[in-house]
Amino acid sequence: MRPTICSLTILFIFLCISPSSFAQENEEVEKLNARLSLVFVNDNSSPKLVSEVKARIDRVYVGMENVKVDFYIGEISEGTYIGSQTTNENGVANFSIPEEMGPILDTMAVYSFAAAITDDSQVNDDEEFIEVVRSKIELILEEIDSIKTIKFFVGRYNGEGISPVEDVEGGIFIKRLFGLLPLVEYEYTDSEGFIYAEFPEDLKGDRMGNVTIVGKAEDTDEFGTLIASETIAWGLPLEVIDYSEVRELWSPAENAPLYLVITVSVMVLGIWGCIAYLIRQVLKIRRLGRA
């Protein structure tokens, strides 16, 4: 009788615990379906590949952090692997193409790249392929008749050299502390491959007057994203004010504004005057009581 009761007890415990255990195991191995994107960025400082990994969580697509993305030139194989990068908190992996790949890219008129997710613990495997035409971008800064002119050039390589590309949408910007200030936005290159802009005379730079000018064509179908930048002393020198020597509200106490010093002093004297008057009246009342 006792063995039967023990067996039933063990079976009961197993039935109660096992489903939750299996459910936990299933939750641990269940992966999300990833959305993988790939963009080629032709930056005049260093070309790179930008991949974004998103997954649908609670009906909203969010960036997946700490997902390893492998990058390839051409098809996906061991021989075409060029490196990997882990996504940041926004689900973006920025991979700078190694410098040793430069001679290989210089021989190609069309670039083929691939990105892949393999055996990740969070999302299922996925692949993405892109092809972009090899491009030439240039930012030309000229001062003609005292007018500071900016020209952003977009061209493509062909068998005989570089030919200008017409109707590429882009813009010219000034790099500021919190973003890009547009001088020309949503313009198209002309028949010579240029977008033009005039530099404003009243724009401030750093202490030396330096400003960074950026020409940008974002996510084009043929070339990817194109970015060219140059730094030049065209801005007004930034006047640095030592606020410890001027009388402002945010200055140290010894350099407080005169109107503030006078106002506070009058208020303090008025308060102490009222206190002195009250004390005097109390003393008078006391003397009258003794009399």
Side-chain angles (χ1 to χ4, degrees):
M1 192 71 181
R2 288 181 180 177
T4 304
I5 294 174
C6 292
S7 300
L8 291 174
T9 304
I10 294 171
L11 180 61
F12 178 76
I13 294 172
F14 178 78
L15 291 174
C16 291
I17 296 176
S18 295
S20 60
S21 302
F22 293 149
Q24 288 177 359
E25 290 179 4
N26 289 335
E27 287 178 3
E28 289 176 359
V29 299
E30 187 177 358
K31 296 182 181 181
L32 301 171
N33 291 323
R35 264 189 170 187
L36 180 63
S37 64
L38 182 62
V39 176
F40 173 75
V41 179
N42 182 6
D43 192 327
N44 62 352
S45 58
S46 62
K48 61 184 177 181
L49 296 169
V50 178
S51 183
E52 187 173 14
V53 181
K54 288 186 175 182
R56 190 173 181 178
I57 300 176
D58 296 332
R59 300 183 180 182
V60 177
Y61 282 96
V62 297
M64 299 299 296
E65 188 178 2
N66 293 327
V67 176
K68 181 185 175 184
V69 182
D70 298 319
F71 296 94
Y72 303 83
I73 182 168
E75 62 181 14
I76 297 177
S77 66
E78 274 189 42
T80 61
Y81 174 79
I82 57 176
S84 62
Q85 187 67 40
T86 303
T87 57
N88 59 20
E89 65 275 8
N90 298 317
V92 177
N94 291 287
F95 176 75
S96 295
I97 297 176
E99 292 184 4
E100 55 267 24
M101 296 294 302
I104 299 174
L105 297 178
D106 290 343
T107 63
M108 304 168 64
V110 178
Y111 301 147
S112 296
F113 295 103
I117 302 172
T118 307
D119 297 330
D120 187 78
S121 60
Q122 302 181 74
V123 296
N124 292 319
D125 294 356
D126 198 9
E127 300 174 351
E128 184 69 18
F129 298 85
I130 58 169
E131 281 191 353
V132 293
V133 176
R134 183 185 173 196
S135 59
K136 167 70 175 179
I137 55 174
E138 189 176 6
L139 203 59
I140 302 172
L141 309 177
E142 299 176 329
E143 191 166 354
I144 304 172
D145 296 332
S146 72
I147 298 176
K148 300 178 175 106
T149 305
I150 307 166
K151 296 191 290 185
F152 177 44
F153 173 77
V154 179
R156 69 159 58 88
Y157 285 89
N158 52 40
E160 300 177 354
I162 301 170
S163 58
V165 182
E166 190 175 1
D167 292 332
V168 175
E169 184 180 6
I172 297 175
F173 309 83
I174 305 296
K175 188 175 181 181
R176 310 307 282 174
L177 183 60
F178 297 107
L180 297 176
L181 173 68
L183 296 182
V184 171
E185 196 171 11
Y186 307 120
E187 291 285 334
Y188 291 88
T189 53
D190 60 15
S191 59
E192 296 181 347
F194 287 105
I195 295 175
Y196 298 87
E198 288 186 9
F199 187 86
E201 296 293 335
D202 58 350
L203 194 66
K204 291 186 177 181
D206 60 12
R207 295 186 182 185
M208 304 299 294
N210 293 320
V211 293
T212 300
I213 302 173
V214 180
K216 187 176 183 181
E218 194 166 5
D219 201 14
T220 65
D221 295 332
E222 191 174 7
F223 305 105
T225 296
L226 309 176
I227 302 174
S229 60
E230 294 286 345
T231 299
I232 189 170
W234 276 2
L236 299 176
L238 182 64
E239 183 182 357
V240 180
I241 301 174
D242 187 358
Y243 287 105
S244 64
E245 298 181 358
V246 297
R247 292 185 175 275
E248 300 289 350
L249 287 174
W250 46 85
S251 300
E254 59 270 16
N255 287 331
L258 291 175
Y259 67 86
L260 184 61
V261 173
I262 295 171
T263 302
V264 173
S265 299
V266 170
M267 291 174 63
V268 171
L269 289 174
I271 293 171
W272 279 108
C274 291
I275 294 172
Y277 175 77
L278 291 173
I279 293 173
R280 183 182 177 188
Q281 295 300 109
V282 169
L283 292 175
K284 281 185 178 181
I285 294 172
R286 187 177 180 183
R287 284 197 296 269
L288 289 173
R290 288 179 180 178

